[in-house]
Amino acid sequence: MNTTLLSILALLIFPGGLFLLGYGLAYEYVDRKLVARFQNRVGPRWFQPLADVVKLLAKEEIVPHGVQRGLFIFLPVAALAAALTAALYVPMAGQVPSYSFNGDLIVTIYLLSLLTICMGLAGANTIDRFSVVGATRVLTQLFSYEAPFLLALLSPAIMAKSWQISEINIYTHNNLWFVLTQPIGFLVALVGLMGKLELPPFDAPEAETEIVSGALTEYSGRGLALFRLGKDVELVIGLTLVAAFYLGGIANPLEFVLKTLALLVVVAGLQSLFARLRIDQTVGLWWRLGAILGLAQILFVIFWRLVLR
Amino acid sequence: MTNLKLDSNWQRILDKIRTWARVNSPWAIHFNSGSCNGCDIEILATLTPRYDVERFGIKLQGSPRHADVLICTGPVTLQARDRLIRIYEQMPEPKFVIAVGSCGLSGGVFHGCYNVVGSIDEVLPVNVYIPGCPPRPEAIIYGVVQLLNSLKSGVSKVGTVAELVEKQEA
Ligand code: SF4
C-alpha cells in the first residue's frame, strides 16, 4: 500500500509530474532570458513560458484533413509521457533516482529519443509539405547526433564500470570531475544535447525562415503545448545527465541547481554565438567530427582501463 | 453535460486564467495582402531587438495554426483575397485581426483601383486599426496593447465557455 502511494507520488509530484513541469518551464524562461540578454534585449517576463502553455491549452485544437486522427492526438501525449518517465531514472535534485536497475542508462537515452521520434512521426502524419520536410529533417538529425551523444555518455559509464545512472553518479562524485579528465566527451555530450533539443545552431528541423515550424506546423493548441512541455522536460533531464556524468555528480539540491544552471548558461551562450547549420552540415559535423571525437574518447578510456590500471 | 453549471465560480476562475494567459502571450502572424511593403518593413522593425516585443510575450510565428493575432497590411487585392480568408480560417479560435496602415484601413492610395477589393474589414472582422502611412513601430506596439486591453476589459469578445455553448445551441 505504502509503496504504491510512494510510486504514485513519484510519478505525479516529485521527480516525475509537477516538479519537473514547473522546473522545465523555469529553465525555458532562464534560457530565453539569457539569449535575450546576449542579444541586447530585455527578454520575456518570468511567467512567459507558463502563459504560453496555458494559452495553447485553452485554444481550439484543429485536426487537419488527411491525418490519422488517433495518431495526431496520441503522439504529443506519448512524447510528454516518455520525457516524464525518463525523469524517474536520473538523480533529479540530487535525490536517489526513484527507480534504478542495471542498464537504466540505455533506457533513459531511448526514452529521451522517443520525444524526437514522436515529433518526426507527427510531422510525417500530416500531408502538409512543411511538416513532411520538417519530419525528414528531425529524423535525419536524430540519426546524426544520437550515436556521438551515446558514445559521450558511455565513457563515464565505462570508467564507473556500471550501466546504472545512480552508480555512475556516485562514482563521479568521488572522483576528479570528468570534464577535466575527458573534456572531449563533455563537449560532445553538451553539443549533442543541443542537437537533441533542436536548439540553434541545430534548429534546421524547425527553421522558421524555410519550413514554417517544421514537423509541428499543423499542431495548434493542446498538441503544441504538450510538445513544448516535453522539450522543456527533456532540457532539464539532459542537463541533469550531463551534470551528473561530467560535472562531478549531483549529491544535493543545491549542487543540482548550480551545476545545471551553469550548463544552461553555456548552452544559451552557444545558442546565441552560432548561426543555423544546414541539415547536411549538421549531419556532416556529427559524423565527421562528433562521432570520431566520441570514438577517440571511448577508445582512450578503454585503453586507460585495460593497460594503465 | 447538462448538469454542469456554466456560470459557476469554478468556471469563472477558469475563464480568468484563460484571459490572463491570452493577454500575456499573443503570438502573431504577419500577412501582406497587397501592401507597398512600407508597412511590412515597419512591422519587421517592431520585431527587432530595439523594440523587443518579447517583453510582452509577442512572438512572430510562421504557421497560422500557432498564431492568435493576424497582423494584416495593405489593401486586399483580388488575388490576395482568397488567400487572406484561407489563412484566417486556418487559425485556431480565439483569433484576432489587426489592420496596419492607411491602406488596410480604407484602401488608402489604392482605393478604387481595378484590382483591389478594398480595406481589410471588407473581408475579415478587424479588431484593431492602426493608422499611418506607414505607422511607426511605436504605433504598432500601441495598437497591439489596445487589443490586449480590450481583451482584458472584455470589450473584444473571446467567448467564454458559456457563450460558446449558447452559440452552438442556437
Ligand atoms: S499605408 Fe502606406 S506604407 Fe502602408 S501599404 Fe499603404 S501606402 Fe504602403
Side-chain angles (χ1 to χ4, degrees):
Chain A
M1 173 60 213
N2 214 0
T3 45
T4 12
L5 199 69
L6 273 183
S7 324
I8 290 175
L9 268 185
L11 270 177
L12 293 183
I13 315 266
F14 178 57
L18 278 182
F19 166 78
L20 202 57
L21 293 181
Y23 209 74
L25 288 177
Y27 268 31
E28 187 196 336
Y29 160 72
V30 175
D31 182 49
R32 278 168 70 172
K33 182 81 180 177
L34 280 173
V35 172
R37 291 308 296 156
F38 286 143
Q39 293 173 347
N40 223 349
R41 291 187 287 133
V42 178
R45 296 158 296 179
W46 64 271
F47 52 78
Q48 194 59 57
L50 181 67
D52 287 350
V53 166
V54 174
K55 180 207 71 179
L56 284 176
L57 287 176
K59 273 189 87 109
E60 178 191 7
E61 187 172 35
I62 300 172
V63 180
H65 281 299
V67 303
Q68 216 279 326
R69 203 189 152 81
L71 262 185
F72 188 83
I73 292 170
F74 169 72
L75 280 172
V77 182
L80 182 60
L84 286 174
T85 315
L88 297 176
Y89 301 108
V90 296
M92 205 39 80
Q95 307 300 316
V96 184
S98 340
Y99 295 96
S100 153
F101 54 88
N102 202 6
D104 56 3
L105 172 62
I106 303 296
V107 174
T108 310
I109 288 174
Y110 273 94
L111 281 173
L112 287 182
S113 308
L114 204 58
L115 174 85
T116 321
I117 293 175
C118 281
M119 268 175 68
L121 286 181
N125 187 19
T126 55
I127 48 174
D128 176 46
R129 75 201 87 152
F130 300 118
S131 300
V132 175
V133 175
T136 49
R137 288 194 189 178
V138 167
L139 295 176
T140 316
Q141 184 152 315
L142 175 79
F143 286 119
S144 57
Y145 65 72
E146 199 67 22
F149 184 67
L150 184 64
L151 286 179
L153 290 185
L154 276 192
S155 51
I158 292 175
M159 283 302 280
K161 294 188 204 151
S162 166
W163 294 81
Q164 198 164 349
I165 294 177
S166 52
E167 275 181 22
I168 301 171
N169 189 25
I170 294 168
Y171 178 86
T172 48
H173 191 67
N174 297 330
N175 283 280
L176 193 63
W177 287 20
F178 276 151
V179 62
L180 300 175
T181 49
Q182 304 179 10
I184 301 175
F186 172 69
L187 203 69
V188 174
L190 195 63
V191 181
L193 182 64
M194 292 178 71
K196 224 174 176 36
L197 297 165
E198 291 171 9
L199 299 170
F202 304 112
D203 58 345
E206 48 180 297
E208 54 281 272
T209 42
E210 305 157 26
I211 49 170
V212 188
S213 309
L216 301 184
T217 302
E218 287 290 346
Y219 273 89
S220 59
R222 199 178 50 97
L224 186 61
L226 292 185
F227 271 122
R228 284 175 68 98
L229 276 176
K231 260 198 184 166
D232 290 346
V233 169
E234 195 169 301
L235 173 69
V236 176
I237 297 175
L239 289 177
T240 315
L241 265 186
V242 177
F245 280 26
Y246 280 98
L247 292 187
I250 292 171
N252 52 44
L254 185 68
E255 267 190 11
F256 170 69
V257 173
L258 286 182
K259 285 177 179 171
T260 47
L261 267 183
L263 277 181
L264 190 59
V265 173
V266 178
V267 168
L270 288 176
Q271 268 180 68
S272 19
L273 263 179
F274 294 106
R276 181 187 306 141
L277 295 171
R278 277 196 326 260
I279 188 71
D280 59 316
Q281 289 170 327
T282 312
V283 176
L285 177 75
W286 280 116
W287 281 112
R288 280 197 217 110
L289 210 65
I292 304 279
L293 284 178
L295 265 182
Q297 173 78 66
I298 217 161
L299 284 179
F300 175 74
V301 169
I302 292 174
F303 181 71
W304 176 271
R305 280 273 319 278
L306 289 183
V307 180
L308 299 180
R309 282 279 162 94
Chain B
M1 281 304 269
T2 41
N3 54 2
L4 213 131
K5 282 259 280 301
L6 289 170
D7 53 348
S8 62
N9 279 336
W10 174 237
Q11 197 56 255
R12 240 173 276 147
I13 293 172
L14 274 187
D15 278 333
K16 274 229 176 73
I17 295 176
R18 275 193 213 116
T19 317
W20 169 81
R22 241 163 239 152
V23 167
N24 282 300
S25 145
W27 289 357
I29 180 171
H30 164 211
F31 185 72
N32 173 350
S33 61
S35 138
C36 75
N37 238 335
C39 289
D40 305 284
I41 288 176
E42 293 305 310
I43 287 177
L44 292 187
T46 316
L47 297 167
T48 54
R50 181 177 170 85
Y51 295 97
D52 185 27
V53 284
E54 202 187 2
R55 288 181 291 160
F56 312 117
I58 304 174
K59 221 169 128 193
L60 191 72
Q61 290 289 342
S63 163
R65 294 262 195 248
H66 300 179
D68 309 291
V69 182
L70 176 62
I71 299 181
C72 224
T73 58
V76 183
T77 61
L78 283 175
Q79 233 185 6
R81 185 174 170 275
D82 294 344
R83 276 90 180 166
L84 180 61
I85 293 176
R86 188 150 173 218
I87 290 207
Y88 181 73
E89 281 173 350
Q90 279 175 341
M91 290 166 62
E93 292 281 356
K95 49 192 170 187
F96 312 98
V97 180
I98 298 181
V100 173
S102 313
C103 296
L105 268 58
S106 63
V109 285
F110 303 108
H111 180 82
C113 263
Y114 66 95
N115 57 350
V116 162
V117 181
S119 57
I120 290 166
D121 57 7
E122 284 174 34
V123 182
L124 299 179
V126 177
N127 295 79
V128 172
Y129 300 88
I130 303 174
C133 178
R136 288 185 57 88
E138 289 90 336
I140 298 176
I141 296 177
Y142 180 74
V144 177
V145 171
Q146 289 300 310
L147 173 71
L148 299 182
N149 280 341
S150 71
L151 273 184
K152 231 187 278 178
S153 59
V155 179
S156 269
K157 277 284 178 241
V158 208
T160 56
V161 176
E163 286 164 352
L164 279 181
V165 171
E166 259 171 39
K167 218 200 279 175
Q168 269 173 8
E169 279 170 0

